[in-house]
Amino acid sequence: MRKRAFPRAAPLALLAASFTACGGAKPAHQGASTAAPAPKLPAPAGPEALLGPARYVLADGVGVVFDQAGRPADLPRPEPALADGTRFLLNGGLVLAEAPGPEHLVGFRSLPARLGGGFVFWSNTRTYHGATFLGPLRPLAEVAAEGGARPWLDTLVLRTPLGLLELDLRGPAPALRRTELARFAEAMSLDGKHGARIDAFGRAEITLDGGKTFRDLTAERGTRLSGFMEGPAGRLLLLTGQGHMQPTLALDPGKGLVPVVADPPSDLGWASMPTPPEDPALASRTLAPFELATAVFAGARLPGGRAIVGARDRSARVLSLATGRPLGDAPWSTVAEPYARCQPIARGEGLLFACTHPHGAHVLALAGDPSAPRLEATFPEPGTFVAGLRERFAFLGRCGALVPTAADFRGAPPVEMEGQNRLFGPSEPPPEPQDPPEPLDPTPTDDAYVCVRGADGAWTERRLRGEDAAHLYRFLPGDGGTVTALVLRPKPEKAAPPPEGVRVVHVDPDDPALGGALFPALLTPQEDLPYRSIDRDFWLDDKDGSLHGWIALPPEGEDAEDPESIPQGRSERLLPVSTRLGGRFAGVHIRLDGRVEVHPLPPGVVEVVRGGPFALARASVDDLDTYHETIDGGRTFRPVAPPPPVVELRAPYDASSIQGCSELGCALGNSVVRLGWGGPAPAAPKPPPPDVPSAPAPPVERLGALPLRCRLAGPPAPKDTPKQGTFLLNPSTIRHDLGSAVGGMRGDTLTADVGLPFDTRPLRVVTVKAPGFVLPPARDALVPVLLAEGPSPVGFFLRANDRRLDLGLPRGLSSPSALPFEHGGDFRVAVDLDRGDLLTLASSELSLLRGGLLRPFAKPGYIPDVKRQRLGLARRLGKGPARVALSLVSGSSGDILLADLDLLRATVGPLRPAGSLTRLDPSAACRPDPDAYRLLADVLVDLRFDPPHPDQDETGLDATALVTTSAGRACLEGLEVRWPKNDRTLIVRFPSGEAIVREAGQRGDKAVCSSP
């Protein structure tokens, strides 16, 4: 037996005060205020009462949606929020109240009194209104405000997939209508008098008189906006720029349009905008930090309603148990990495940190200054700590040197600190020159050590040998440096007397009283966050010294699992233990003579999360979940309120999951904490919500699939014999498969059979000089080109292997040879400018293309919205100079918007409505208009042949439509429909309905189709 004693750690009360009073501690967040220096209170006479009643807290990691209106307060306050579709009233994450919705809600906004008051909510399919946040909801429309809701002049604007819709709640019945705002992407007014609206390209209009007149801010100042933000004093901040969301202008309730002036540049030359700072440590719209879950799972309680936990960057963090918020950090400047990865534990009046690492283990004690822990003990081998009730604590392994130093850590690399090779600062004696210690021999399976800490801070080494050591399950620390050895084997008839300070209790692992249950495997120390090295699964009774703990039960109704021998401890003793992390665990009482009593669980329990004598259980009976708590090791359970519906108690994913209990409560993952114990009985289960009445349909027609009916116009065409060379798939359609071969190489010439888009005429042979071109190309794409009037209004060029091949362009626009084209980007479409130049659109950037040279032209700012719009180009029909417009086609409503491009100034004009795909006219209706525009649009087609054809009749086929817009009408000129399963394409032209079913390398079968 070896024994060593050191001065005791400082009382917890003094340490709790030190975290805010001493100069070594720092606030958890820069700029956060700290409490006034706390008085040095006397040490508590006895243990503090358990926290209670229990409260649920949402921590960082829960997806929470706060009110889109207003601004967060600088100090905590109750805030309405949505989490996992449920309504909550939160105060810094603390759940004050909750209410389910009629369905999964995804957003909400509070309304000013001038717009009717209350709250507007939306799901993925509907919009609702409620007079109060937690009260009943009534449906407003069968459309979701996916992009949020904005207050407007005298209405509320819903940003829906069908565009901006105005909602008026002031009358006896809600009125939802479509107005001129449909051509805009954003609109907002905070006071009903001053407002701004923005189109999808950032063009802004403002009103200062409640909508009587509007000013084109972009035309006046060249300013394009990217969004809005509520500022102080009712100001509406107008955000400009791409990406940085910087306000330069604002609508002031008293002054109208005013500039927002940046603060003077700092020493580094940076200027900041005068937007009020929101300290994340204080703002009301924040949740509890994830460290709260870690503190409940693997932290320690401090007097004064505080908790402490090991944190990143060699520090400890202190949190308030009343609010869950961080109070301060204590950086450990005197402890080197990786020796600061520690789990705190309160032992009596002192606070210890149990630390593990690959080279051993050690204990740090806090004495006065929390940022300078003292090295109390070192252990020469890695291992696990075990904790019992009150001050009982031990390390499962050998004690280190009588004077603890880093020399105990065999094989540890030297770490320089403060100019010396010391790991623990002044608390570690200076190293003496010596030979490196020999590595420890592996402990034989019949030899077991434990190092026990006494109440006086002295560490005593105990040892167990022989068969009892070979079947040792764990040591349990007792009082006065004694331990109890729990041995998994029947008690022998003639047992040798135990060593000094060691009591042996034998349990037969096959005892029928266990009912097939297994003892849980010993904790494996966790050296990454959350730092965890202390096992609390078993403890000694304060009255008679008997043993209490937890055992793993088989699933209810199933046979016991066959025990598997698992290596345990440094000596890797093979024991029949369970490594299962979740499932059913029951409390067990082991008497000193080895008799076992398993405490019953509440009916239907399927999951138990535990820690010491504390546990929370989930039961499931008749598809109804109930929860139960115990604070006495499973001897008794009482029903409790369930956790918020954002989490369900389930088995953890792995050993690093933050899930467990302590005297502070339970961590149910890293995002939900049950803080404290006790409380009122749970309320009776709520009846299922009534069926929600149907809501009015939105005032906009949704775009569905175009119905297309066709018939073959003759016998199938004869199949052509394959040509010499590689003719796998020839570019006869703009719905060409990427990565496919496009023709055949003969020497330096690429030969391909080409059919132009929307052209039902026979294929033609095209040759292009392409020295060194390899088939199939590594990456290829057909870029459609909108042409001037002609038999084929759309051509294309092939982009492949960093080259441009003009396979589908008319003479005068095409090159007989491949051109270099080493340009990135997703080229969607191009327009013929009549001078041998092309205007291309790649992503949202416009460029001029001449030959292989690409020159930037313009980059219009595009504000993404929820209308599922696709950006493209449109070209004016008729003769004369080319006129081009940017096009936006909504995949939800079918709306077509155009914005004219000034090709001389490279500017974008206002967006204007140009028709809808939901109301397609015959193409002849648009042709007489010389100002008509032609564009391409992605659509879906439901295709049926007469008579029915199983290989060709299909719904929801991807298609490209050739559309002409004129005077607000949209006309269908052609369709290209792709069958992905049989590699065929249907090409249709209107108004004739002439069609062809084309297959790669074949002439195709003629057909006739009716206009959708």
Side-chain angles (χ1 to χ4, degrees), residues 889 894-898 913-927 932-935 937 961-973 1011-1012:
V889 181
D895 287 345
I896 302 173
L897 300 175
L898 297 181
S916 174
L917 297 179
T918 59
R919 298 180 300 277
L920 288 171
D921 292 325
S923 59
C926 295
R927 281 196 172 274
Y933 279 77
R934 179 180 284 130
L935 56 96
L962 181 64
V963 178
T964 302
T965 66
S966 170
R969 295 176 301 183
C971 301
L972 183 63
E973 288 194 79
S1011 178

Side-chain angles (χ1 to χ4, degrees), residues 338-339 355-362 379 381-383 409 412 424 527:
Y339 304 100
C355 316
T356 58
H357 47 86
H359 309 290
H362 57 280
F379 309 97
E381 55 192 358
F409 304 148
F424 303 102
E527 296 176 11

Side-chain angles (χ1 to χ4, degrees), residues 65 68 82 103-109 111 119-129 140-150 156-167 176 186 698 702 865-868:
V65 177
Q68 286 192 348
L82 295 178
E103 58 178 315
H104 187 98
L105 302 174
V106 297
F108 75 98
R109 187 182 190 98
L111 304 182
F119 295 82
V120 166
F121 300 83
W122 52 92
S123 66
N124 288 324
T125 57
R126 280 183 171 182
T127 301
Y128 298 84
H129 179 261
L140 296 176
E142 288 289 342
V143 65
E146 293 182 14
R150 307 285 188 263
L156 183 73
V157 171
L158 305 181
R159 301 182 72 232
T160 78
L162 301 177
L164 298 190
L165 301 178
E166 291 193 64
L167 175 65
L176 187 66
E186 275 277 21
R702 298 179 187 272
D865 58 13
V866 295
K867 291 190 286 187
R868 296 166 180 85

Side-chain angles (χ1 to χ4, degrees), residues 213-302:
T213 60
F214 282 90
R215 293 164 48 186
D216 190 330
L217 196 63
T218 303
E220 289 183 10
R221 299 171 174 250
T223 301
R224 290 188 179 269
L225 302 183
S226 55
F228 309 117
M229 185 170 64
E230 293 189 39
R235 278 189 168 192
L236 180 63
L237 302 179
L238 309 182
L239 307 178
T240 60
Q242 296 296 317
H244 54 274
M245 302 291 284
Q246 193 81 307
T248 58
L249 295 170
L251 290 178
D252 187 276
K255 301 177 182 178
L257 184 65
V258 296
V260 178
V261 183
D263 292 334
S266 64
D267 294 339
L268 298 177
W270 294 93
S272 59
M273 304 307 296
T275 54
E278 294 168 4
D279 189 338
L282 301 177
S284 60
R285 294 181 181 177
T286 56
L287 302 180
F290 80 93
E291 288 95 347
L292 179 64
T294 307
V296 169
F297 172 61
R301 186 179 181 183
L302 296 176

